[in-house]
Every structure is written in C-alpha cells, then in structure tokens.
Amino acid sequence: MAIRRNSGLLVEPPSAATGDIAFNLIVFFLVCASTQPDSGRKQQLPKSDQTQKEEQKQENVQVELTRQNIIINGEPTLMKDFVKRMKTKLQGKSRPEDKIVVVKSKPDTPYHHWISVTTRIEEAGGIVTLQLEEEKQVTVE
C-alpha cells in the first residue's frame, strides 16, 4: 500500500524570526536617518600666495573675540558700534583681497557671539577669514 502525502498543508515561517527582522529594519532606518551632518554656516575663504600673505598682514583688519569683548586692530569696540567701525576700516577698499577681515577667537568664545560678529562683518562688506595656528618647524642641534 502506497502512503499518500498530504500536500494541502500550509507551511508557516517561524514566528520568532519576524521580530528580529523588524528590529533590524528599525535600527537600519534610524541609522540612515541620523547621518545627516550639520552643515553650519557657509563661508567663502579667500586664497592667497605666500608673498601676498606677508604684504597683507599689515593691511588686513583684525578682529579678536573673547567671551564678551570685541577688539578691532587692538581697540576695544562695543557691539552697537561694530558695523560702523568696520565700514570705516573697509572704506576705500574695492578689491575683495583688500576686504579680508582676520577673525581670531579664544576657545571659550560662545558660538552665538562668533556668529553675530561674523554676520556683522559681512554686513559691513568684509570677507571673513579665520586665523589658524601656524605650524612652526623647529630644528634642534
């Protein structure tokens, strides 16, 4: 006598795997959604040659930022007078290379203070550039 197989039964996938798959999908989409980097504030940084850097050091307007103070070329300035003083410093400079304003800031300078000062520099017609630490090569003999 031949044994007859019943092929009419439904085969169900194991139910324990569906929870794992759902968890992996949730983690995948959370990781993909959170990888958008903060864009910050776009700036156009000027390029210059080494010879131009030495010539422009004396000409460029320097702004130093501390926690609460603003210093333009060594003179303390109030925030309300900042735009007016920047416009007078940049007056008569027509080329973009001449309108460079070097911004130096202390590590404890608040971000909102830095943003408000750089925005006012651009309002006055200046081009913001940052002073980074210069690399020095020391030879020991």
Side-chain angles (χ1 to χ4, degrees):
M1 173 164 170
I3 300 176
R4 204 171 136 191
R5 292 192 171 177
N6 188 0
S7 62
L9 296 175
L10 296 175
V11 178
E12 293 184 26
S15 63
T18 57
D20 292 339
I21 292 171
F23 179 76
N24 286 334
L25 286 173
I26 290 171
V27 169
F28 173 78
F29 286 113
L30 285 175
V31 168
C32 288
S34 65
T35 58
Q36 296 176 351
D38 294 332
S39 60
R41 182 172 175 208
K42 294 183 180 182
Q43 293 184 353
Q44 180 183 10
L45 299 177
K47 296 180 181 178
S48 63
D49 295 334
Q50 186 65 22
T51 56
Q52 288 180 345
K53 284 183 184 178
E54 294 172 3
E55 294 173 6
Q56 289 180 355
K57 274 191 176 179
Q58 295 83 19
E59 297 179 62
N60 292 340
V61 178
Q62 291 191 359
V63 176
E64 296 179 39
L65 298 177
T66 59
R67 187 172 260 307
Q68 297 175 353
N69 298 330
I70 304 170
I71 302 169
I72 301 175
N73 289 345
E75 301 172 12
T77 307
L78 297 174
M79 186 64 87
K80 63 180 183 178
D81 301 329
F82 183 76
V83 175
K84 184 172 64 172
R85 294 214 32 214
M86 283 304 298
K87 284 183 179 180
T88 57
K89 297 278 185 190
L90 297 172
Q91 189 176 16
K93 297 182 177 183
S94 58
R95 298 184 315 159
E97 300 89 35
D98 297 334
K99 294 182 179 184
I100 294 174
V101 178
V102 179
V103 178
K104 299 178 184 179
S105 62
K106 301 283 184 187
D108 63 343
T109 303
Y111 184 70
H112 65 87
H113 183 55
W114 186 85
I115 286 291
S116 66
V117 169
T118 54
T119 303
R120 287 188 169 107
I121 290 171
E122 290 175 352
E123 285 175 14
I127 298 174
V128 177
T129 186
L130 307 175
Q131 174 142 6
L132 303 175
E133 293 181 17
E134 297 177 4
E135 293 181 16
K136 293 182 180 179
Q137 190 173 27
V138 179
T139 56
V140 178
E141 295 180 23

